[in-house]
């Protein structure tokens, strides 16, 4: 079954339709590559997908552990390289809303590092993952 449909709308904009939910999002070319930067670029979606995946698998594990993960958030920084143009580095800083027991924190962090998106990214791409707890 088809997962999504991407439709080129012109002016470097693409409409993306998730078939099962009928949800949509748009991408634009970035300002450093002939675009307006009015939406996520395709490479922004890749970098953000990493954070989304990590948060999702941690959420699944948190449910199993009966631990509240709500309001955990990730900051994502993407670095591009050229020749060929590609993502050279993705940095993800995951901020937890509270301090967890040491074993729980270790399980959540290990789970995040096993997310399918992280496992699918090119091995030469730098991935910097940081877990931040309140002081």
């Amino acid at each position: 079954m088809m997962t999504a449909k991407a439709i080129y709308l012109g002016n470097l904009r693409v409409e993306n339709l998730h078939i099962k939910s009928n949800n949509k999002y748009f991408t634009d070319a970035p300002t450093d590559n002939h675009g307006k930067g009015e939406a996520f670029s395709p490479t922004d979606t890749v970098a953000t997908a990493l954070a989304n995946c990590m948060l999702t698998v941690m959420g699944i594990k948190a449910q199993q552990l009966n631990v509240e993960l709500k309001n955990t958030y990730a900051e994502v920084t993407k670095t591009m390289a050229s020749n060929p143009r590609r993502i050279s580095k993705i940095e993800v800083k995951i901020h937890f809303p509270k301090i967890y027991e040491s074993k729980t924190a270790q399980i959540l962090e290990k789970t995040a590092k096993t997310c399918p998106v992280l496992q699918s990214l090119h091995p030469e791409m730098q991935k910097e993952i940081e877990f931040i707890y309140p002081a």
Side-chain angles (χ1 to χ4, degrees):
M1 179 175 186
M2 183 170 48
T3 301
K5 183 177 183 180
I7 306 162
Y8 183 70
L9 302 176
N11 295 320
L12 310 179
R13 177 167 277 205
V14 176
E15 177 184 296
N16 300 281
L17 173 66
H18 182 251
I19 300 301
K20 189 171 184 177
S21 68
N22 210 36
N23 282 329
K24 294 179 184 179
Y25 73 92
F26 297 87
T27 62
D28 275 334
T31 54
D32 68 345
N33 197 24
H34 310 286
K36 296 178 185 175
E38 293 177 347
F40 283 94
S41 73
T43 54
D44 291 342
T45 64
V46 171
T48 306
L50 175 56
N52 280 258
C53 187
M54 295 175 89
L55 290 168
T56 300
V57 296
M58 283 194 305
I60 292 167
K61 184 56 76 175
Q63 286 179 341
Q64 294 169 354
L65 298 171
N66 200 27
V67 170
E68 182 58 62
L69 204 65
K70 189 174 181 178
N71 295 321
T72 298
Y73 67 93
E75 297 175 330
V76 180
T77 304
K78 172 197 75 174
T79 304
M80 296 295 291
S82 53
N83 298 323
R85 188 166 168 83
R86 68 198 179 285
I87 302 169
S88 61
K89 180 168 72 170
I90 300 174
E91 300 168 66
V92 178
K93 294 180 180 181
I94 296 178
H95 295 262
F96 292 100
K98 65 181 214 173
I99 297 173
Y100 299 98
E101 292 180 13
S102 177
K103 182 178 180 181
T104 300
Q106 288 176 355
I107 291 169
L108 290 173
E109 291 180 20
K110 182 179 178 186
T111 299
K113 291 179 179 178
T114 64
C115 93
V117 172
L118 184 60
Q119 301 306 311
S120 301
L121 294 172
H122 196 284
E124 290 181 16
M125 179 192 299
Q126 289 181 271
K127 299 112 181 151
E128 294 183 9
I129 312 300
E130 185 178 353
F131 300 95
I132 301 168
Y133 297 87

